[in-house]
């Protein structure tokens, strides 16, 4: 093989390798960007879902403190949100959402609170009933936003 063929072959091989490297690099960058965008969209959907759950649970909990009822229809939206949480979230978040629903049901079955009892409840040493759920959501969203996937 003479030197002209060897140098032509080397140039073609170098061009092919450079082109393949460029193609692979572009694919990897685009793949990483698509994954980051997908993760951001999933995080936004979960944030919205958790916010909807907290809104609904807050309304029901406030209502349960002042009213007794045995009608399950008031809880339909809450349990629908828990079902959606179960589809998207970790078992820890789902468990805390279910505990909130149980607290609301128990509160509906308990005697009504007077306005003075509500004031004492708010000023007392009462823990936030949404705290554990909120912290579990925060932890999951933080993990989702990082490069690690939630377990």
């Amino acid at each position: 093989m003479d030197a002209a063929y060897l140098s032509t072959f080397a140039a073609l091989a170098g061009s092919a390798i450079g082109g393949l490297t460029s193609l692979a690099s572009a694919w990897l960058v685009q793949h990483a960007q698509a994954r980051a965008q997908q993760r951001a969209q999933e995080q936004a959907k979960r944030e919205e879902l958790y916010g909807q759950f907290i809104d609904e649970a807050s309304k029901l909990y406030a209502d349960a403190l002042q009213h007794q009822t045995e009608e399950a229809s008031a809880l339909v939206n809450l349990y629908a949100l828990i079902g959606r949480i179960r589809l998207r979230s970790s078992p820890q978040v789902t468990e805390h959402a279910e505990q909130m629903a149980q607290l609301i049901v128990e509160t509906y079955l308990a005697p009504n609170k007077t306005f003075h009892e509500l004031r004492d409840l708010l000023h007392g040493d009462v823990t936030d009933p949404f705290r554990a759920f909120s912290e579990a959501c925060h932890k999951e969203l933080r993990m989702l936003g990082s490069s690690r996937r939630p377990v």
Side-chain angles (χ1 to χ4, degrees):
M1 191 179 252
D2 77 43
Y5 286 127
L6 186 58
S7 99
T8 302
F9 178 72
L12 288 174
S15 293
I17 290 172
L20 288 174
T21 302
S22 177
L23 181 67
S25 175
W27 181 82
L28 286 172
V29 166
Q30 188 167 0
H31 182 69
Q33 287 174 342
R35 284 188 54 165
Q37 183 180 12
Q38 184 179 23
R39 226 180 1 255
Q41 288 173 345
E42 178 64 23
Q43 184 173 3
K45 287 178 184 177
R46 288 188 194 190
E47 285 176 5
E48 182 180 346
L49 177 60
Y50 299 157
Q52 289 173 349
F53 177 80
I54 290 172
D55 289 345
E56 184 69 20
S58 297
K59 291 174 191 172
L60 289 172
Y61 185 64
D63 185 61
L65 287 169
Q66 296 181 342
H67 301 98
Q68 278 186 310
T69 187
E70 292 185 14
E71 287 188 35
S73 62
L75 302 171
V76 170
N77 288 339
L78 185 70
Y79 279 98
L81 288 169
I82 291 173
R84 289 176 51 204
I85 288 171
R86 192 175 290 116
L87 288 173
R88 290 192 171 274
S89 303
S90 68
Q92 293 81 13
V93 171
T94 303
E95 181 181 331
H96 288 295
E98 290 170 344
Q99 288 173 357
M100 276 304 309
Q102 184 64 36
L103 173 66
I104 291 167
V105 169
E106 289 173 7
T107 306
Y108 266 122
L109 297 174
N112 294 341
K113 302 281 188 216
T114 66
F115 192 75
H116 294 292
E117 289 173 326
L118 289 174
R119 184 193 64 200
D120 294 342
L121 187 67
L122 291 174
H123 293 317
D125 229 7
V126 172
T127 60
D128 179 4
F130 297 97
R131 186 174 191 86
F133 175 77
S134 298
E135 287 174 352
C137 292
H138 181 74
K139 179 180 177 184
E140 183 168 289
L141 290 170
R142 195 173 56 239
M143 287 178 66
L144 187 63
S146 72
S147 60
R148 297 176 290 152
R149 297 297 295 175
V151 283

